[in-house]
Amino acid sequence: MRAVIIAVGVAFLISLLGTPIAIKVFTRLKAGQPIRAEGPAMHQGKKGTPTMGGVVFILATVIAYVAGHLALTTLPDAQIAQVEPTITALVLLGLMVFSGAVGFIDDFLKVRKRHSGGLNKRGKLFGQILVGAIFGVVALYFPSTMTDASGAATNTETVGATTLSFIRDIPALEIGKIASVIVIIFVVMAATNGVNLTDGLDGLATGASVMVLAAYALIAFWQYRHWCADPTYTANPNNYCYAVRDPLEIALIAGAAAGACVGFLWWNTSPARIFMGDTGALGLGGLIAGMAMSTRTILLLPIIGGLFVIITMSVVIQIISFRTTGKRVFRMSPLQHHFELAGWSEVNIVVRFWIIAGIGVAIALGLFYSDFLASMG
């Protein structure tokens, strides 16, 4: 727990203190956010606000991981802690960094062209598929092995699973490695686009991501305390354990990312002095997808990220309705813009949507814990 707290604190401070520096740098480089002409009229006042702020909390997360990881070497139960970098960290941070890199290219092209159209849809889609495929293969084809104090292997789990999972792996839904990689690609695409679509109002996506990442930190730490690789816990055959890979690493990274987002939110809340851009939105989406995969809660993700699902579905419904009937269901999509045009203030929308995000997280955590109680009999 100490390592996780250290990672959260370091990430928060780096993001909180580093974001003003990024604001100055991006302002000097004239890296301002272009605003879509077809968007809400009130957004035109945000034109020129520095973008690509996701660079700050992505870097803060990576640095905080290193700081928190160093603390693991001093833990009294180091024989069951990950005291060396693991494939799990490679996959999770890789998904965050490289998904963020796809977004960075998009942001860079927008700034360079001084137009809201950056990387074309095919280019962005190809980037998401490529990142999901690479780290999906690593997660499924490269088991990470750790040893206990005697040098014996204690866990050879892969980061991902070849079965679909809800709160844990569902053995009856064994789909094999190739299909599992395809599922991971889909989850990465869904999560990155979901966060990206939610990132339309000051602080909305950042605050919602804090809740989701904090929830995954709790889930992963709970799995660590009830881990099948912990001989002190599994000594009692009646104890239910989680067969996951490196849960403490997962908790550390999730906590670090949540802390970094809180520090960024200080500057990103209304009126935002900097936007996360596609760099941050795709980076967070990639990490959230990795969290669902590594904690074996892929089918729980639509609940824990319920706000992202609702906003994404508003876009899907709008497109289907307009193409089939020529009519729009919402004044504008994504959903937050519908309420803007209905007269709601930006802060009002953001706070209420945060409440919706919190409800989804609370339901998901409740389901997770109730399953544990049921498993314990």
Side-chain angles (χ1 to χ4, degrees):
M1 187 65 176
R2 181 176 60 186
V4 176
I5 293 174
I6 290 173
V8 172
V10 170
F12 170 74
L13 289 175
I14 292 176
S15 191
L16 180 67
L17 301 177
T19 302
I21 299 174
I23 293 173
K24 293 179 181 178
V25 171
F26 290 142
T27 300
R28 189 174 302 138
L29 295 175
K30 297 182 179 179
Q33 175 69 48
I35 303 298
R36 292 184 305 141
E38 63 272 19
M42 61 281 289
H43 283 205
Q44 294 304 314
K46 301 181 180 183
K47 186 176 181 179
T49 302
T51 187
M52 296 189 284
V55 170
V56 178
F57 58 72
I58 290 175
L59 286 175
T61 301
V62 174
I63 294 171
Y65 164 74
V66 175
H69 198 76
L70 290 174
L72 291 177
T73 59
T74 63
L75 287 175
D77 55 347
Q79 70 273 14
I80 61 166
Q82 296 80 40
V83 295
E84 297 179 358
T86 63
I87 287 181
T88 301
L90 171 67
V91 170
L92 294 179
L93 294 177
L95 282 169
M96 186 182 200
V97 171
F98 286 95
S99 293
V102 174
F104 181 84
I105 295 171
D106 188 37
D107 287 333
F108 178 78
L109 292 176
K110 289 177 183 176
V111 170
R112 185 176 181 181
K113 296 177 182 178
R114 297 289 189 267
H115 190 272
S116 60
L119 188 64
N120 61 47
K121 292 181 180 179
R122 289 184 179 179
K124 188 181 293 187
L125 183 64
F126 173 77
Q128 293 169 330
I129 292 174
L130 181 63
V131 172
I134 291 173
F135 290 100
V137 169
V138 174
L140 289 165
Y141 285 83
F142 295 89
S144 180
T145 304
M146 61 179 295
T147 60
D148 58 22
S150 65
T154 60
N155 197 346
T156 56
E157 291 283 345
T158 54
V159 180
T162 57
T163 61
L164 294 180
S165 57
F166 180 54
I167 295 174
R168 46 184 166 170
D169 290 337
I170 305 173
L173 297 181
E174 171 73 39
I175 59 176
K177 289 185 177 180
I178 295 177
S180 294
V181 171
I182 294 174
V183 169
I184 291 170
I185 293 173
F186 174 78
V187 173
V188 169
M189 292 172 59
T192 52
N193 286 304
V195 177
N196 198 22
L197 290 171
T198 304
D199 182 34
L201 300 181
D202 295 352
L204 177 56
T206 310
S209 296
V210 168
M211 298 182 207
V212 172
L213 290 167
Y216 274 120
L218 289 173
I219 287 173
F221 190 76
W222 185 263
Q223 291 176 331
Y224 171 67
R225 299 303 297 176
H226 306 85
W227 191 21
C228 293
D230 181 357
T232 62
Y233 178 74
T234 54
N236 184 345
N238 295 321
N239 287 341
Y240 173 77
C241 66
Y242 294 94
V244 296
R245 181 67 240 166
D246 309 318
L248 188 58
E249 288 270 83
I250 301 169
L252 194 154
I253 294 172
C261 286
V262 172
F264 181 76
L265 184 60
W266 183 271
W267 307 101
N268 180 236
T269 193
S270 183
R273 292 185 56 187
I274 188 170
F275 299 140
M276 70 167 67
D278 280 20
T279 305
L282 269 60
L284 287 174
L287 178 59
I288 289 171
M291 289 292 158
M293 171 187 64
S294 58
T295 58
R296 312 293 173 87
T297 56
I298 283 180
L299 297 180
L300 188 66
L301 179 58
I303 300 175
I304 203 168
L307 178 65
F308 303 139
V309 174
I310 292 170
I311 289 178
T312 300
M313 289 308 300
S314 73
V315 175
V316 173
I317 293 170
Q318 186 86 323
I319 293 173
I320 293 175
S321 177
F322 187 75
R323 290 184 177 179
T324 56
T325 67
K327 297 180 180 180
R328 293 180 172 86
V329 176
F330 307 104
R331 291 180 172 90
M332 184 180 289
S333 65
L335 188 61
Q336 59 269 31
H337 299 321
H338 167 82
F339 290 105
E340 278 190 291
L341 297 182
W344 290 24
S345 70
E346 182 171 5
V347 172
N348 203 354
I349 297 169
V350 169
V351 171
R352 288 178 176 176
F353 276 37
W354 280 352
I355 292 172
I356 294 173
I359 292 172
V361 166
I363 293 173
L365 289 176
L367 289 171
F368 180 83
Y369 186 62
S370 63
D371 176 81
F372 175 79
L373 293 178
S375 299
M376 292 292 286

